[in-house]
Amino acid sequence: NLIIENNFASDGPTVYFYYTNQSQKMQLNNVVIRDNNSIQTFYGFNQEFEMNACEFYNNEGQITISFWGNGNTSYSTIKNSIVRDNLTSKDLNVTDAIIINSNIMGNSLTNNFSGNSAVVNTIIGGGQFFTNDGLLTVKNSHLAEGQTQIINQITNFLTYEDNSEGEILYNDIGNNDFSLSDYSPAIGGGINSISLYSITYDAPSEDYLGNSRPNPQGSNVDMGAYENPFGVPQYQPQIL
């Protein structure tokens, strides 16, 4: 429950986690990080963390989110979060990252994944390109331009399954409302649980606003940070 804004750092990050506590995860919940200018907006080294319902926007500098050496248990997670409209040279530069039910859109072209990483139940806007220097799983996610947004660096290091492409249909993207229209193909398009690199990850039980997932109970979760009340996309009447 914190806003971090309007900071300037000419030789360092806005937020820096460095050997903070290797015995347990750092928890970031409901944090807005906006309008900062620094080398990295968020930088973590040798510290595992879990980020939930956070939003990054209008940040400038070299990298929006960067982390590696995640501590003793290896994987850091970003879930129910929105990374949008940042003006950094690179958006994500991460190692051993698990991104679940998040939105990444309107940022710089470049995102890089190292180690063993995954993008699950996540909406990726057009013009966002991912490269991988290690194993990368992209599953049950929506990429506006499809698999062409993944620049696979190493043969057989990419798992790309059950993803969709095209228009996502938000309620009011012009006013930064990224909740899903009732007609969105992202409704029910997620997966409720997944095993990644010998660890099982469940989709978040609540969305960005604290609404229950999945909704309705017993359905598949939606893609992205927001859960729509319907379990499947509704019929959109055609205007002739």
Side-chain angles (χ1 to χ4, degrees), residues 41-84:
T41 306
F42 175 92
Y43 181 57
F45 174 69
N46 214 35
Q47 174 59 56
E48 186 187 14
F49 66 88
E50 182 175 284
M51 185 184 298
N52 178 62
C54 295
E55 186 172 12
F56 291 74
Y57 66 93
N58 293 347
N59 296 290
E60 300 181 44
Q62 294 184 9
I63 305 171
T64 306
I65 299 175
S66 179
F67 57 82
W68 60 288
N70 292 328
N72 296 333
T73 51
S74 297
Y75 296 99
S76 286
T77 57
I78 298 173
K79 59 184 182 179
N80 282 335
S81 292
I82 300 169
V83 184
R84 64 168 180 91

Side-chain angles (χ1 to χ4, degrees), residues 8 30 40 71 81 90 99 129 187 238:
F8 176 78
N30 300 302
Q40 302 100 348
S81 292
K90 181 181 287 187
I99 301 176
F129 294 95
I187 296 174
Q238 303 299 307

Side-chain angles (χ1 to χ4, degrees), residues 7-17 36-44 60-64 66 88:
N7 295 286
F8 176 78
S10 61
D11 191 26
T14 299
V15 179
Y16 192 13
F17 286 169
N36 301 288
N37 190 328
S38 55
I39 302 298
Q40 302 100 348
T41 306
F42 175 92
Y43 181 57
E60 300 181 44
Q62 294 184 9
I63 305 171
T64 306
S66 179
T88 49

Side-chain angles (χ1 to χ4, degrees), residues 192 213-221:
N192 293 348
R213 290 189 191 269
N215 191 7
Q217 188 174 4
S219 64
N220 289 334
V221 296

